[in-house]
Amino acid sequence: MMIQHSVIFKLKHASGTAEETAFFDAAKQLAHLPGVLNFQVFKQTSPKNQFDYGLSMEFENQADYDGYSVHPDHEQFIREFWLTNVVDFLEIDYVRLAKP
Amino acid sequence: MMIQHSVIFKLKHASGTAEETAFFDAAKQLAHLPGVLNFQVFKQTSPKNQFDYGLSMEFENQADYDGYSVHPDHEQFIREFWLTNVVDFLEIDYVRLAKP
């Protein structure tokens, strides 16, 4: 079953800074990891929450998701970019609800 | 510019109750309002947040989004189902970020 994995987040750096650009350049590389489908980067525009950006991707199944999570390049991104640049976030996993 | 509008939320009612079914039956009618594209209903499965469900839709532009927001059927849904059934939620609006 397709899983839509996303994170909505806020960066430590102001918009337009070199640190912000470096963060997104690194994040975009995640699109190329095995199992990652439909990778998207978003600006969050609602004034009703405290976040500024979103990353979204899909996995065909839990095995692909698990493989991504433990992939060395993903773990390196978390260590070198995520933990050092993100000040607040919420992680969301969605599966399509056919019938509630 | 395409806008992806979503809400992640938690219902007052336990899974499988008649109230829950009635809520989602009403929510699904929103898919038919003018301007609403790619309407989806999700189960939220990450243990890293407090929410259980998501609704997602897209609008081609802000005018369509605004028209949806003030549509009488949407306002009725908010009044009769959303305010009475939802105990916690976060509203998210995304636009595609071409280049940060």
Side-chain angles (χ1 to χ4, degrees), chain A residues 4 8 24 28 40-46 48-49 53-54 90-98 100, chain B residues 4 7-8 24 28 40-46 48-49 53-54 90-97 100:
Chain A
Q4 183 194 102
I8 181 170
F24 283 105
K28 287 174 185 171
Q40 296 184 83
V41 183
F42 295 106
K43 176 96 186 91
Q44 201 295 122
T45 61
S46 172
K48 299 182 187 169
N49 72 60
Y53 297 104
L90 186 73
E91 196 171 331
I92 299 170
D93 290 329
Y94 279 149
V95 293
R96 190 75 83 91
L97 193 65
Chain B
Q4 184 193 101
V7 277
I8 181 169
F24 282 105
K28 287 175 186 171
Q40 296 185 81
V41 183
F42 295 107
K43 176 97 186 91
Q44 201 295 121
T45 61
S46 172
K48 299 182 188 170
N49 72 60
Y53 297 104
L90 186 72
E91 197 171 331
I92 299 169
D93 290 330
Y94 280 149
V95 293
R96 191 77 83 92
L97 192 66

mmCIF file of all heavy atoms in Angstrom, chain A residues 4 8 24 28 40-46 48-49 53-54 90-98 100, chain B residues 4 7-8 24 28 40-46 48-49 53-54 90-97 100:
data_model
loop_
_atom_site.group_PDB
_atom_site.id
_atom_site.type_symbol
_atom_site.label_atom_id
_atom_site.label_comp_id
_atom_site.label_asym_id
_atom_site.label_seq_id
_atom_site.Cartn_x
_atom_site.Cartn_y
_atom_site.Cartn_z
ATOM 1 N N GLN A 4 2.482 7.896 1.807
ATOM 2 C CA GLN A 4 2.946 9.254 1.545
ATOM 3 C C GLN A 4 3.602 9.773 2.824
ATOM 4 O O GLN A 4 2.948 9.944 3.852
ATOM 5 C CB GLN A 4 1.766 10.149 1.144
ATOM 6 C CG GLN A 4 2.180 11.552 0.777
ATOM 7 C CD GLN A 4 0.992 12.508 0.710
ATOM 8 O OE1 GLN A 4 0.757 13.295 1.612
ATOM 9 N NE2 GLN A 4 0.231 12.417 -0.364
ATOM 10 N N ILE A 8 6.799 18.596 7.731
ATOM 11 C CA ILE A 8 6.552 20.026 7.660
ATOM 12 C C ILE A 8 7.473 20.639 8.704
ATOM 13 O O ILE A 8 7.590 20.113 9.814
ATOM 14 C CB ILE A 8 5.055 20.348 7.867
ATOM 15 C CG1 ILE A 8 4.778 21.838 7.772
ATOM 16 C CG2 ILE A 8 4.502 19.756 9.156
ATOM 17 C CD1 ILE A 8 3.284 22.173 7.722
ATOM 18 N N PHE A 24 18.487 22.956 1.207
ATOM 19 C CA PHE A 24 17.589 22.433 0.171
ATOM 20 C C PHE A 24 18.354 21.683 -0.914
ATOM 21 O O PHE A 24 17.845 20.700 -1.471
ATOM 22 C CB PHE A 24 16.709 23.543 -0.402
ATOM 23 C CG PHE A 24 15.575 23.899 0.514
ATOM 24 C CD1 PHE A 24 15.598 25.061 1.265
ATOM 25 C CD2 PHE A 24 14.494 23.043 0.655
ATOM 26 C CE1 PHE A 24 14.547 25.372 2.126
ATOM 27 C CE2 PHE A 24 13.438 23.346 1.513
ATOM 28 C CZ PHE A 24 13.470 24.514 2.250
ATOM 29 N N LYS A 28 17.279 17.839 -1.682
ATOM 30 C CA LYS A 28 16.840 17.383 -3.005
ATOM 31 C C LYS A 28 17.546 16.107 -3.458
ATOM 32 O O LYS A 28 17.027 15.374 -4.308
ATOM 33 C CB LYS A 28 17.061 18.485 -4.045
ATOM 34 C CG LYS A 28 16.067 19.627 -3.904
ATOM 35 C CD LYS A 28 16.437 20.743 -4.872
ATOM 36 C CE LYS A 28 15.556 21.957 -4.696
ATOM 37 N NZ LYS A 28 16.051 23.099 -5.493
ATOM 38 N N GLN A 40 8.800 15.956 -3.520
ATOM 39 C CA GLN A 40 8.419 17.347 -3.733
ATOM 40 C C GLN A 40 8.882 18.235 -2.582
ATOM 41 O O GLN A 40 8.931 17.785 -1.426
ATOM 42 C CB GLN A 40 6.890 17.475 -3.859
ATOM 43 C CG GLN A 40 6.336 16.757 -5.069
ATOM 44 C CD GLN A 40 4.835 16.987 -5.232
ATOM 45 O OE1 GLN A 40 4.402 17.979 -5.780
ATOM 46 N NE2 GLN A 40 4.051 16.047 -4.734
ATOM 47 N N VAL A 41 9.233 19.464 -2.921
ATOM 48 C CA VAL A 41 9.616 20.460 -1.920
ATOM 49 C C VAL A 41 8.583 21.587 -1.969
ATOM 50 O O VAL A 41 8.252 22.081 -3.049
ATOM 51 C CB VAL A 41 11.016 21.036 -2.194
ATOM 52 C CG1 VAL A 41 11.415 22.018 -1.100
ATOM 53 C CG2 VAL A 41 12.049 19.922 -2.324
ATOM 54 N N PHE A 42 8.068 21.962 -0.798
ATOM 55 C CA PHE A 42 7.000 22.960 -0.733
ATOM 56 C C PHE A 42 7.354 24.133 0.171
ATOM 57 O O PHE A 42 8.078 23.982 1.152
ATOM 58 C CB PHE A 42 5.724 22.327 -0.142
ATOM 59 C CG PHE A 42 5.106 21.247 -0.957
ATOM 60 C CD1 PHE A 42 5.208 19.922 -0.566
ATOM 61 C CD2 PHE A 42 4.413 21.550 -2.116
ATOM 62 C CE1 PHE A 42 4.625 18.907 -1.311
ATOM 63 C CE2 PHE A 42 3.823 20.541 -2.866
ATOM 64 C CZ PHE A 42 3.924 19.218 -2.461
ATOM 65 N N LYS A 43 6.787 25.278 -0.176
ATOM 66 C CA LYS A 43 6.704 26.412 0.732
ATOM 67 C C LYS A 43 5.359 26.307 1.430
ATOM 68 O O LYS A 43 4.333 26.091 0.772
ATOM 69 C CB LYS A 43 6.802 27.723 -0.073
ATOM 70 C CG LYS A 43 6.635 28.975 0.759
ATOM 71 C CD LYS A 43 7.968 29.549 1.158
ATOM 72 C CE LYS A 43 7.800 30.742 2.119
ATOM 73 N NZ LYS A 43 7.814 30.319 3.536
ATOM 74 N N GLN A 44 5.360 26.446 2.759
ATOM 75 C CA GLN A 44 4.121 26.393 3.524
ATOM 76 C C GLN A 44 3.588 27.813 3.679
ATOM 77 O O GLN A 44 4.292 28.687 4.205
ATOM 78 C CB GLN A 44 4.400 25.734 4.876
ATOM 79 C CG GLN A 44 3.210 25.139 5.593
ATOM 80 C CD GLN A 44 2.169 26.136 6.022
ATOM 81 O OE1 GLN A 44 0.992 26.051 5.633
ATOM 82 N NE2 GLN A 44 2.597 27.118 6.802
ATOM 83 N N THR A 45 2.354 28.055 3.248
ATOM 84 C CA THR A 45 1.860 29.431 3.175
ATOM 85 C C THR A 45 0.711 29.752 4.132
ATOM 86 O O THR A 45 0.289 30.899 4.210
ATOM 87 C CB THR A 45 1.382 29.745 1.734
ATOM 88 O OG1 THR A 45 0.323 28.851 1.398
ATOM 89 C CG2 THR A 45 2.521 29.579 0.741
ATOM 90 N N SER A 46 0.176 28.749 4.815
ATOM 91 C CA SER A 46 -0.936 29.052 5.735
ATOM 92 C C SER A 46 -0.420 29.807 6.958
ATOM 93 O O SER A 46 0.565 29.399 7.573
ATOM 94 C CB SER A 46 -1.625 27.770 6.196
ATOM 95 O OG SER A 46 -2.556 28.072 7.221
ATOM 96 N N LYS A 48 -1.919 29.731 9.621
ATOM 97 C CA LYS A 48 -2.506 29.024 10.765
ATOM 98 C C LYS A 48 -1.595 27.970 11.378
ATOM 99 O O LYS A 48 -2.015 27.188 12.219
ATOM 100 C CB LYS A 48 -3.839 28.390 10.348
ATOM 101 C CG LYS A 48 -4.861 29.417 9.887
ATOM 102 C CD LYS A 48 -6.175 28.745 9.522
ATOM 103 C CE LYS A 48 -7.143 29.749 8.885
ATOM 104 N NZ LYS A 48 -8.310 29.064 8.301
ATOM 105 N N ASN A 49 -0.355 27.881 10.914
ATOM 106 C CA ASN A 49 0.607 27.023 11.606
ATOM 107 C C ASN A 49 1.972 27.701 11.603
ATOM 108 O O ASN A 49 2.180 28.721 10.927
ATOM 109 C CB ASN A 49 0.656 25.610 10.993
ATOM 110 C CG ASN A 49 1.328 25.575 9.651
ATOM 111 O OD1 ASN A 49 2.502 25.935 9.510
ATOM 112 N ND2 ASN A 49 0.596 25.136 8.632
ATOM 113 N N TYR A 53 8.103 25.231 5.523
ATOM 114 C CA TYR A 53 8.426 24.379 4.378
ATOM 115 C C TYR A 53 7.871 22.972 4.560
ATOM 116 O O TYR A 53 7.502 22.586 5.681
ATOM 117 C CB TYR A 53 9.947 24.277 4.193
ATOM 118 C CG TYR A 53 10.603 25.589 3.872
ATOM 119 C CD1 TYR A 53 11.324 26.281 4.837
ATOM 120 C CD2 TYR A 53 10.477 26.158 2.602
ATOM 121 C CE1 TYR A 53 11.914 27.510 4.552
ATOM 122 C CE2 TYR A 53 11.064 27.380 2.308
ATOM 123 C CZ TYR A 53 11.779 28.043 3.282
ATOM 124 O OH TYR A 53 12.345 29.255 2.987
ATOM 125 N N GLY A 54 7.856 22.240 3.478
ATOM 126 C CA GLY A 54 7.492 20.829 3.538
ATOM 127 C C GLY A 54 8.304 20.018 2.556
ATOM 128 O O GLY A 54 8.693 20.520 1.495
ATOM 129 N N LEU A 90 7.101 18.510 12.125
ATOM 130 C CA LEU A 90 6.116 17.464 12.371
ATOM 131 C C LEU A 90 6.239 16.470 11.226
ATOM 132 O O LEU A 90 6.285 16.857 10.053
ATOM 133 C CB LEU A 90 4.700 18.063 12.381
ATOM 134 C CG LEU A 90 3.564 17.112 12.760
ATOM 135 C CD1 LEU A 90 3.607 16.810 14.254
ATOM 136 C CD2 LEU A 90 2.217 17.732 12.388
ATOM 137 N N GLU A 91 6.320 15.196 11.593
ATOM 138 C CA GLU A 91 6.451 14.136 10.597
ATOM 139 C C GLU A 91 5.083 13.488 10.391
ATOM 140 O O GLU A 91 4.387 13.195 11.364
ATOM 141 C CB GLU A 91 7.468 13.117 11.129
ATOM 142 C CG GLU A 91 7.996 12.179 10.101
ATOM 143 C CD GLU A 91 9.161 11.348 10.653
ATOM 144 O OE1 GLU A 91 9.886 11.829 11.548
ATOM 145 O OE2 GLU A 91 9.309 10.210 10.191
ATOM 146 N N ILE A 92 4.704 13.281 9.145
ATOM 147 C CA ILE A 92 3.365 12.778 8.809
ATOM 148 C C ILE A 92 3.479 11.604 7.844
ATOM 149 O O ILE A 92 4.184 11.691 6.850
ATOM 150 C CB ILE A 92 2.530 13.902 8.139
ATOM 151 C CG1 ILE A 92 2.353 15.088 9.084
ATOM 152 C CG2 ILE A 92 1.171 13.357 7.678
ATOM 153 C CD1 ILE A 92 1.748 16.330 8.413
ATOM 154 N N ASP A 93 2.762 10.513 8.132
ATOM 155 C CA ASP A 93 2.681 9.390 7.198
ATOM 156 C C ASP A 93 1.220 9.141 6.871
ATOM 157 O O ASP A 93 0.407 8.919 7.781
ATOM 158 C CB ASP A 93 3.283 8.114 7.800
ATOM 159 C CG ASP A 93 4.783 8.199 7.938
ATOM 160 O OD1 ASP A 93 5.415 8.879 7.114
ATOM 161 O OD2 ASP A 93 5.320 7.579 8.862
ATOM 162 N N TYR A 94 0.905 9.128 5.588
ATOM 163 C CA TYR A 94 -0.477 8.929 5.160
ATOM 164 C C TYR A 94 -0.586 7.681 4.303
ATOM 165 O O TYR A 94 0.231 7.439 3.420
ATOM 166 C CB TYR A 94 -0.938 10.102 4.289
ATOM 167 C CG TYR A 94 -1.378 11.342 5.030
ATOM 168 C CD1 TYR A 94 -1.202 12.594 4.446
ATOM 169 C CD2 TYR A 94 -2.008 11.280 6.272
ATOM 170 C CE1 TYR A 94 -1.636 13.744 5.076
ATOM 171 C CE2 TYR A 94 -2.430 12.438 6.920
ATOM 172 C CZ TYR A 94 -2.250 13.670 6.309
ATOM 173 O OH TYR A 94 -2.679 14.808 6.942
ATOM 174 N N VAL A 95 -1.630 6.896 4.563
ATOM 175 C CA VAL A 95 -2.049 5.872 3.607
ATOM 176 C C VAL A 95 -3.478 6.210 3.208
ATOM 177 O O VAL A 95 -4.263 6.730 4.010
ATOM 178 C CB VAL A 95 -1.992 4.428 4.178
ATOM 179 C CG1 VAL A 95 -0.545 4.025 4.440
ATOM 180 C CG2 VAL A 95 -2.824 4.292 5.442
ATOM 181 N N ARG A 96 -3.801 5.943 1.954
ATOM 182 C CA ARG A 96 -5.120 6.279 1.429
ATOM 183 C C ARG A 96 -6.201 5.504 2.208
ATOM 184 O O ARG A 96 -6.077 4.294 2.434
ATOM 185 C CB ARG A 96 -5.190 5.919 -0.056
ATOM 186 C CG ARG A 96 -6.406 6.438 -0.762
ATOM 187 C CD ARG A 96 -6.306 7.935 -1.037
ATOM 188 N NE ARG A 96 -5.549 8.199 -2.241
ATOM 189 C CZ ARG A 96 -6.123 8.300 -3.462
ATOM 190 N NH1 ARG A 96 -7.421 8.194 -3.604
ATOM 191 N NH2 ARG A 96 -5.381 8.513 -4.518
ATOM 192 N N LEU A 97 -7.234 6.205 2.638
ATOM 193 C CA LEU A 97 -8.331 5.589 3.381
ATOM 194 C C LEU A 97 -9.449 5.334 2.396
ATOM 195 O O LEU A 97 -10.142 6.258 1.958
ATOM 196 C CB LEU A 97 -8.789 6.548 4.471
ATOM 197 C CG LEU A 97 -9.700 6.011 5.561
ATOM 198 C CD1 LEU A 97 -8.983 4.972 6.399
ATOM 199 C CD2 LEU A 97 -10.159 7.150 6.454
ATOM 200 N N ALA A 98 -9.635 4.065 2.027
ATOM 201 C CA ALA A 98 -10.649 3.742 1.037
ATOM 202 C C ALA A 98 -12.036 4.013 1.629
ATOM 203 O O ALA A 98 -12.854 4.712 1.054
ATOM 204 C CB ALA A 98 -10.547 2.284 0.631
ATOM 205 N N PRO A 100 -13.645 4.760 5.636
ATOM 206 C CA PRO A 100 -13.347 4.909 7.061
ATOM 207 C C PRO A 100 -14.098 3.868 7.903
ATOM 208 O O PRO A 100 -15.101 3.361 7.476
ATOM 209 C CB PRO A 100 -13.831 6.303 7.397
ATOM 210 C CG PRO A 100 -14.746 6.683 6.307
ATOM 211 C CD PRO A 100 -14.336 5.932 5.094
ATOM 212 N N GLN B 4 -1.784 23.177 -2.613
ATOM 213 C CA GLN B 4 -2.225 21.935 -1.978
ATOM 214 C C GLN B 4 -2.669 22.265 -0.561
ATOM 215 O O GLN B 4 -1.855 22.652 0.283
ATOM 216 C CB GLN B 4 -1.077 20.922 -1.968
ATOM 217 C CG GLN B 4 -1.476 19.569 -1.413
ATOM 218 C CD GLN B 4 -0.280 18.691 -1.107
ATOM 219 O OE1 GLN B 4 0.145 18.557 0.031
ATOM 220 N NE2 GLN B 4 0.308 18.110 -2.136
ATOM 221 N N VAL B 7 -5.627 19.245 5.850
ATOM 222 C CA VAL B 7 -5.780 19.298 7.299
ATOM 223 C C VAL B 7 -5.449 17.918 7.843
ATOM 224 O O VAL B 7 -5.875 16.901 7.298
ATOM 225 C CB VAL B 7 -7.210 19.683 7.751
ATOM 226 C CG1 VAL B 7 -7.395 21.187 7.725
ATOM 227 C CG2 VAL B 7 -8.271 19.000 6.904
ATOM 228 N N ILE B 8 -4.655 17.905 8.886
ATOM 229 C CA ILE B 8 -4.362 16.665 9.606
ATOM 230 C C ILE B 8 -5.097 16.799 10.930
ATOM 231 O O ILE B 8 -5.061 17.861 11.559
ATOM 232 C CB ILE B 8 -2.839 16.460 9.729
ATOM 233 C CG1 ILE B 8 -2.517 15.167 10.451
ATOM 234 C CG2 ILE B 8 -2.126 17.650 10.364
ATOM 235 C CD1 ILE B 8 -1.030 14.779 10.367
ATOM 236 N N PHE B 24 -16.998 11.196 7.817
ATOM 237 C CA PHE B 24 -16.284 11.005 6.554
ATOM 238 C C PHE B 24 -17.233 11.028 5.353
ATOM 239 O O PHE B 24 -16.866 11.503 4.279
ATOM 240 C CB PHE B 24 -15.450 9.721 6.579
ATOM 241 C CG PHE B 24 -14.172 9.892 7.342
ATOM 242 C CD1 PHE B 24 -14.015 9.356 8.612
ATOM 243 C CD2 PHE B 24 -13.129 10.625 6.812
ATOM 244 C CE1 PHE B 24 -12.835 9.536 9.331
ATOM 245 C CE2 PHE B 24 -11.944 10.818 7.515
ATOM 246 C CZ PHE B 24 -11.803 10.276 8.780
ATOM 247 N N LYS B 28 -16.465 13.707 2.399
ATOM 248 C CA LYS B 28 -16.255 13.315 0.997
ATOM 249 C C LYS B 28 -17.074 14.146 0.017
ATOM 250 O O LYS B 28 -16.736 14.225 -1.168
ATOM 251 C CB LYS B 28 -16.572 11.827 0.816
ATOM 252 C CG LYS B 28 -15.504 10.924 1.411
ATOM 253 C CD LYS B 28 -15.939 9.472 1.306
ATOM 254 C CE LYS B 28 -14.977 8.547 2.029
ATOM 255 N NZ LYS B 28 -15.526 7.167 2.104
ATOM 256 N N GLN B 40 -8.458 13.824 -1.429
ATOM 257 C CA GLN B 40 -8.045 12.543 -0.875
ATOM 258 C C GLN B 40 -8.299 12.489 0.630
ATOM 259 O O GLN B 40 -8.186 13.498 1.322
ATOM 260 C CB GLN B 40 -6.557 12.295 -1.129
ATOM 261 C CG GLN B 40 -6.204 12.170 -2.596
ATOM 262 C CD GLN B 40 -4.744 11.798 -2.804
ATOM 263 O OE1 GLN B 40 -4.351 10.650 -2.715
ATOM 264 N NE2 GLN B 40 -3.929 12.807 -3.066
ATOM 265 N N VAL B 41 -8.624 11.297 1.105
ATOM 266 C CA VAL B 41 -8.805 11.057 2.538
ATOM 267 C C VAL B 41 -7.742 10.057 2.980
ATOM 268 O O VAL B 41 -7.552 9.028 2.334
ATOM 269 C CB VAL B 41 -10.210 10.492 2.850
ATOM 270 C CG1 VAL B 41 -10.403 10.331 4.347
ATOM 271 C CG2 VAL B 41 -11.296 11.384 2.264
ATOM 272 N N PHE B 42 -7.052 10.373 4.067
ATOM 273 C CA PHE B 42 -5.941 9.544 4.516
ATOM 274 C C PHE B 42 -6.100 9.091 5.967
ATOM 275 O O PHE B 42 -6.674 9.808 6.787
ATOM 276 C CB PHE B 42 -4.624 10.345 4.457
ATOM 277 C CG PHE B 42 -4.186 10.741 3.085
ATOM 278 C CD1 PHE B 42 -4.286 12.057 2.671
ATOM 279 C CD2 PHE B 42 -3.648 9.802 2.218
ATOM 280 C CE1 PHE B 42 -3.848 12.448 1.418
ATOM 281 C CE2 PHE B 42 -3.213 10.181 0.953
ATOM 282 C CZ PHE B 42 -3.312 11.503 0.553
ATOM 283 N N LYS B 43 -5.527 7.940 6.248
ATOM 284 C CA LYS B 43 -5.261 7.518 7.620
ATOM 285 C C LYS B 43 -3.836 7.934 7.922
ATOM 286 O O LYS B 43 -2.942 7.705 7.113
ATOM 287 C CB LYS B 43 -5.409 5.992 7.718
ATOM 288 C CG LYS B 43 -5.061 5.420 9.076
ATOM 289 C CD LYS B 43 -6.292 5.197 9.913
ATOM 290 C CE LYS B 43 -5.926 4.751 11.335
ATOM 291 N NZ LYS B 43 -5.769 5.896 12.263
ATOM 292 N N GLN B 44 -3.617 8.562 9.071
ATOM 293 C CA GLN B 44 -2.288 8.984 9.481
ATOM 294 C C GLN B 44 -1.671 7.875 10.332
ATOM 295 O O GLN B 44 -2.244 7.490 11.352
ATOM 296 C CB GLN B 44 -2.394 10.302 10.256
ATOM 297 C CG GLN B 44 -1.140 11.140 10.327
ATOM 298 C CD GLN B 44 -0.002 10.513 11.085
ATOM 299 O OE1 GLN B 44 1.088 10.308 10.536
ATOM 300 N NE2 GLN B 44 -0.245 10.139 12.344
ATOM 301 N N THR B 45 -0.506 7.376 9.937
ATOM 302 C CA THR B 45 0.032 6.176 10.584
ATOM 303 C C THR B 45 1.329 6.392 11.365
ATOM 304 O O THR B 45 1.803 5.470 12.014
ATOM 305 C CB THR B 45 0.292 5.082 9.515
ATOM 306 O OG1 THR B 45 1.252 5.573 8.575
ATOM 307 C CG2 THR B 45 -0.994 4.707 8.795
ATOM 308 N N SER B 46 1.909 7.585 11.279
ATOM 309 C CA SER B 46 3.156 7.796 12.022
ATOM 310 C C SER B 46 2.877 7.897 13.513
ATOM 311 O O SER B 46 1.979 8.629 13.932
ATOM 312 C CB SER B 46 3.848 9.081 11.559
ATOM 313 O OG SER B 46 4.937 9.368 12.414
ATOM 314 N N LYS B 48 4.759 9.387 15.419
ATOM 315 C CA LYS B 48 5.478 10.588 15.855
ATOM 316 C C LYS B 48 4.609 11.845 15.889
ATOM 317 O O LYS B 48 5.126 12.943 16.074
ATOM 318 C CB LYS B 48 6.690 10.817 14.953
ATOM 319 C CG LYS B 48 7.681 9.668 15.011
ATOM 320 C CD LYS B 48 8.882 9.943 14.141
ATOM 321 C CE LYS B 48 9.782 8.719 14.038
ATOM 322 N NZ LYS B 48 10.821 8.892 13.013
ATOM 323 N N ASN B 49 3.316 11.714 15.640
ATOM 324 C CA ASN B 49 2.430 12.855 15.866
ATOM 325 C C ASN B 49 1.119 12.359 16.462
ATOM 326 O O ASN B 49 0.852 11.153 16.511
ATOM 327 C CB ASN B 49 2.218 13.681 14.585
ATOM 328 C CG ASN B 49 1.340 12.981 13.576
ATOM 329 O OD1 ASN B 49 0.189 12.657 13.842
ATOM 330 N ND2 ASN B 49 1.904 12.713 12.398
ATOM 331 N N TYR B 53 -5.981 11.253 11.048
ATOM 332 C CA TYR B 53 -6.510 11.318 9.687
ATOM 333 C C TYR B 53 -6.007 12.555 8.962
ATOM 334 O O TYR B 53 -5.509 13.497 9.598
ATOM 335 C CB TYR B 53 -8.047 11.363 9.705
ATOM 336 C CG TYR B 53 -8.678 10.134 10.280
ATOM 337 C CD1 TYR B 53 -9.219 10.142 11.565
ATOM 338 C CD2 TYR B 53 -8.715 8.955 9.549
ATOM 339 C CE1 TYR B 53 -9.786 8.991 12.106
ATOM 340 C CE2 TYR B 53 -9.284 7.810 10.071
ATOM 341 C CZ TYR B 53 -9.816 7.832 11.353
ATOM 342 O OH TYR B 53 -10.363 6.700 11.879
ATOM 343 N N GLY B 54 -6.177 12.550 7.659
ATOM 344 C CA GLY B 54 -5.867 13.726 6.863
ATOM 345 C C GLY B 54 -6.863 13.879 5.719
ATOM 346 O O GLY B 54 -7.374 12.884 5.202
ATOM 347 N N LEU B 90 -4.308 20.474 12.464
ATOM 348 C CA LEU B 90 -3.350 21.427 11.916
ATOM 349 C C LEU B 90 -3.692 21.605 10.444
ATOM 350 O O LEU B 90 -3.893 20.622 9.718
ATOM 351 C CB LEU B 90 -1.928 20.883 12.055
ATOM 352 C CG LEU B 90 -0.793 21.820 11.655
ATOM 353 C CD1 LEU B 90 -0.623 22.934 12.681
ATOM 354 C CD2 LEU B 90 0.515 21.040 11.513
ATOM 355 N N GLU B 91 -3.776 22.854 10.030
ATOM 356 C CA GLU B 91 -4.104 23.177 8.645
ATOM 357 C C GLU B 91 -2.815 23.529 7.908
ATOM 358 O O GLU B 91 -1.986 24.286 8.426
ATOM 359 C CB GLU B 91 -5.064 24.370 8.659
ATOM 360 C CG GLU B 91 -5.794 24.586 7.384
ATOM 361 C CD GLU B 91 -6.898 25.643 7.536
ATOM 362 O OE1 GLU B 91 -7.456 25.796 8.643
ATOM 363 O OE2 GLU B 91 -7.161 26.326 6.539
ATOM 364 N N ILE B 92 -2.638 22.989 6.723
ATOM 365 C CA ILE B 92 -1.387 23.148 5.966
ATOM 366 C C ILE B 92 -1.690 23.574 4.532
ATOM 367 O O ILE B 92 -2.541 22.968 3.884
ATOM 368 C CB ILE B 92 -0.602 21.804 5.928
ATOM 369 C CG1 ILE B 92 -0.243 21.355 7.343
ATOM 370 C CG2 ILE B 92 0.638 21.926 5.048
ATOM 371 C CD1 ILE B 92 0.299 19.924 7.409
ATOM 372 N N ASP B 93 -1.010 24.597 4.047
ATOM 373 C CA ASP B 93 -1.115 24.995 2.642
ATOM 374 C C ASP B 93 0.272 24.946 2.012
ATOM 375 O O ASP B 93 1.199 25.603 2.498
ATOM 376 C CB ASP B 93 -1.671 26.418 2.508
ATOM 377 C CG ASP B 93 -3.133 26.492 2.891
ATOM 378 O OD1 ASP B 93 -3.846 25.488 2.713
ATOM 379 O OD2 ASP B 93 -3.547 27.547 3.372
ATOM 380 N N TYR B 94 0.389 24.217 0.923
ATOM 381 C CA TYR B 94 1.674 24.084 0.248
ATOM 382 C C TYR B 94 1.604 24.628 -1.174
ATOM 383 O O TYR B 94 0.635 24.368 -1.892
ATOM 384 C CB TYR B 94 2.067 22.606 0.140
ATOM 385 C CG TYR B 94 2.668 21.988 1.370
ATOM 386 C CD1 TYR B 94 2.475 20.630 1.630
ATOM 387 C CD2 TYR B 94 3.456 22.712 2.256
ATOM 388 C CE1 TYR B 94 3.048 20.012 2.735
ATOM 389 C CE2 TYR B 94 4.027 22.101 3.372
ATOM 390 C CZ TYR B 94 3.827 20.756 3.604
ATOM 391 O OH TYR B 94 4.390 20.154 4.685
ATOM 392 N N VAL B 95 2.634 25.377 -1.554
ATOM 393 C CA VAL B 95 2.863 25.653 -2.973
ATOM 394 C C VAL B 95 4.232 25.077 -3.312
ATOM 395 O O VAL B 95 5.142 25.071 -2.479
ATOM 396 C CB VAL B 95 2.821 27.167 -3.308
ATOM 397 C CG1 VAL B 95 1.417 27.722 -3.123
ATOM 398 C CG2 VAL B 95 3.821 27.945 -2.488
ATOM 399 N N ARG B 96 4.335 24.573 -4.532
ATOM 400 C CA ARG B 96 5.583 23.951 -4.958
ATOM 401 C C ARG B 96 6.722 24.979 -4.921
ATOM 402 O O ARG B 96 6.558 26.098 -5.407
ATOM 403 C CB ARG B 96 5.416 23.387 -6.370
ATOM 404 C CG ARG B 96 6.551 22.500 -6.825
ATOM 405 C CD ARG B 96 6.470 21.125 -6.207
ATOM 406 N NE ARG B 96 5.557 20.265 -6.952
ATOM 407 C CZ ARG B 96 5.938 19.468 -7.943
ATOM 408 N NH1 ARG B 96 7.199 19.371 -8.282
ATOM 409 N NH2 ARG B 96 5.051 18.727 -8.585
ATOM 410 N N LEU B 97 7.830 24.588 -4.341
ATOM 411 C CA LEU B 97 8.998 25.462 -4.250
ATOM 412 C C LEU B 97 9.953 25.076 -5.367
ATOM 413 O O LEU B 97 10.617 24.046 -5.310
ATOM 414 C CB LEU B 97 9.664 25.278 -2.891
ATOM 415 C CG LEU B 97 10.718 26.282 -2.473
ATOM 416 C CD1 LEU B 97 10.108 27.658 -2.276
ATOM 417 C CD2 LEU B 97 11.356 25.840 -1.165
ATOM 418 N N PRO B 100 14.572 27.122 -3.715
ATOM 419 C CA PRO B 100 14.517 27.842 -2.445
ATOM 420 C C PRO B 100 15.333 29.136 -2.473
ATOM 421 O O PRO B 100 16.252 29.251 -3.257
ATOM 422 C CB PRO B 100 15.106 26.874 -1.438
ATOM 423 C CG PRO B 100 15.871 25.881 -2.224
ATOM 424 C CD PRO B 100 15.244 25.825 -3.587
#
